[in-house]
Amino acid sequence: MDKIFLHGMKAETLIGVYEWERKQPQTLVIDLDIGLPPRRGSDDIADTVHYAEVCQAVRDSLRRQDFFLLETLAEHIAALVLDGFAAVWVKVRLVKPGILPDVRETGVEIEREKAV
């Protein structure tokens, strides 16, 4: 299976269940692995997933919404990619860096496939 990936993308959103987390947007680190339909040697960008457009769509969406749980946000991003682009599957990994003392990364990872 072919895939494209965006690793280490940073985006800001309101996220968290505690009042102190909801006072200002937090920076998240997002990794996306996006499964592509078979391309068969095409050199046309219309035959693939345009990763810059995915990045912009995710950032725009996160600016307009807020979430309590990383799990809900991961589902939202997965649906955005699967519904808005020619992706056949997606793996979403979200990291909230520095949220817990003495823990480098806290996060969630999910994988979803396009419904047939």
Side-chain angles (χ1 to χ4, degrees):
M1 168 83 48
D2 297 346
K3 71 177 178 179
I4 63 167
F5 60 89
L6 294 99
H7 290 174
M9 176 175 56
K10 293 182 179 176
E12 290 194 354
T13 194
L14 279 176
I15 184 99
V17 296
Y18 300 109
E19 186 176 326
W20 60 267
E21 290 181 291
R22 304 199 60 78
K23 291 188 185 221
Q24 65 183 15
Q26 296 179 54
T27 301
L28 301 178
V29 180
I30 304 167
D31 292 342
L32 299 176
D33 292 322
I34 303 169
L36 303 173
R39 294 186 43 235
R40 308 230 180 342
S42 171
D43 200 28
D44 186 346
I45 196 155
D47 293 335
T48 190
V49 174
H50 193 305
Y51 49 80
E53 291 178 2
V54 171
C55 186
Q56 191 63 51
V58 168
R59 286 186 173 139
D60 288 347
S61 181
L62 296 187
R63 273 193 288 273
R64 293 189 307 268
Q65 300 181 61
D66 62 281
F67 301 87
F68 289 102
L69 300 175
L70 283 177
E71 293 85 344
T72 306
L73 175 54
E75 291 287 351
H76 171 79
I77 293 172
L80 186 142
V81 172
L82 291 173
D83 296 342
F85 298 91
V88 295
W89 62 267
V90 62
K91 179 167 69 172
V92 179
R93 181 176 188 266
L94 301 176
V95 173
K96 246 173 127 171
I99 199 70
L100 293 175
D102 300 323
V103 177
R104 185 178 50 124
E105 293 182 337
T106 301
V108 64
E109 182 174 286
I110 67 169
E111 293 185 45
R112 299 294 180 264
E113 293 181 18
K114 186 169 276 188
V116 270

